[in-house]
Amino acid sequence: MGIEIYKIEKEQAWETRHTVMWPNKEFNYIKLKDDHVGIHFGLFKDDILVSVVSVFVNNKTCQFRKFATLQSMQGKGYGTMLLNYIIDEARNWGVEKIWCNARENKTSFYKKFGLEETKETFIKGGRSYVVMEKSI
Ligand SMILES: CC(C)(COP(=O)(O)OP(=O)(O)OC[C@H]1O[C@@H](n2cnc3c(N)ncnc32)[C@H](O)[C@@H]1OP(=O)(O)O)[C@@H](O)C(=O)NCCC(=O)NCCS
């Protein structure tokens, strides 16, 4: 009971991604072609999966993707706990840089973790994104 963070199966990440990010799209929409090589983490509160994130390691860098907290549980610090956890994990793996494609309205959130905006930006699905990164 209480709060626990551990590795989960990609199928568990898919459920939460779909519910939080694209409930109106068909289920397959939320799958990434690289999910089979990703490392998926979940934060559980009282055994309920509340927040997920997927990590993709490539040499000394790692990208986190599809970070999502159940809507009713957002703003309570769970996402922060999960992100801090994977940054520590990545450091333990010997990773030197962590990065993400941040939705533009989320940049101030990621800045709290020391991620910095790069000059790389793009638009996808009508949303603006910026690449953010941090040396760890
Ligand atoms: C982004 C996301 C994963 C963050 O997860 P979360 O669990 O809500 O994260 P936290 O609760 O740790 O932080 C959210 C906000 O609450 C604040 N917060 C953290 N703990 C808090 C607490 N105990 N009390 C009040 N506010 C708190 C944080 O400072 C943060 O503020 P900000 O958004 O103004 O920077 C979540 O909002 C989400 O799933 N969004 C939809 C999908 C999405 O946009 N994914 C990211 C794509 S880049």
Side-chain angles (χ1 to χ4, degrees), residues 81-95:
M81 280 182 224
L82 186 56
L83 200 49
N84 279 326
Y85 184 92
I86 61 155
I87 292 171
D88 278 353
E89 281 282 294
R91 206 176 272 127
N92 291 337
W93 298 334
V95 165

Side-chain angles (χ1 to χ4, degrees), residues 35-119:
D35 271 331
H36 64 290
V37 293
I39 309 168
H40 310 277
F41 288 91
L43 180 146
F44 293 78
K45 178 173 163 46
D46 299 338
D47 289 333
I48 294 171
L49 183 54
V50 164
S51 188
V52 299
V53 69
S54 300
V55 181
F56 298 86
V57 181
N58 189 351
N59 295 319
K60 297 270 177 196
T61 70
C62 98
Q63 180 186 14
F64 61 92
R65 304 184 69 178
K66 308 300 177 208
F67 182 30
T69 299
L70 294 181
Q71 203 156 5
S72 61
M73 301 297 257
Q74 289 178 9
K76 297 177 189 290
Y78 298 129
T80 298
M81 280 182 224
L82 186 56
L83 200 49
N84 279 326
Y85 184 92
I86 61 155
I87 292 171
D88 278 353
E89 281 282 294
R91 206 176 272 127
N92 291 337
W93 298 334
V95 165
E96 291 170 359
K97 190 169 87 175
I98 189 160
W99 68 280
C100 72
N101 293 324
R103 291 184 182 182
E104 211 155 53
N105 64 345
K106 281 286 158 203
T107 56
S108 62
F109 176 73
Y110 293 121
K111 281 181 188 163
K112 295 179 190 173
F113 299 87
L115 276 93
E116 289 171 356
E117 287 170 83
T118 67
K119 291 196 180 70

Side-chain angles (χ1 to χ4, degrees), residues 23-39:
N24 301 322
K25 305 253 187 195
E26 60 154 324
F27 192 75
N28 283 337
Y29 182 81
I30 52 82
K31 298 179 183 174
L32 296 171
K33 75 168 169 37
D34 290 340
D35 271 331
H36 64 290
V37 293
I39 309 168

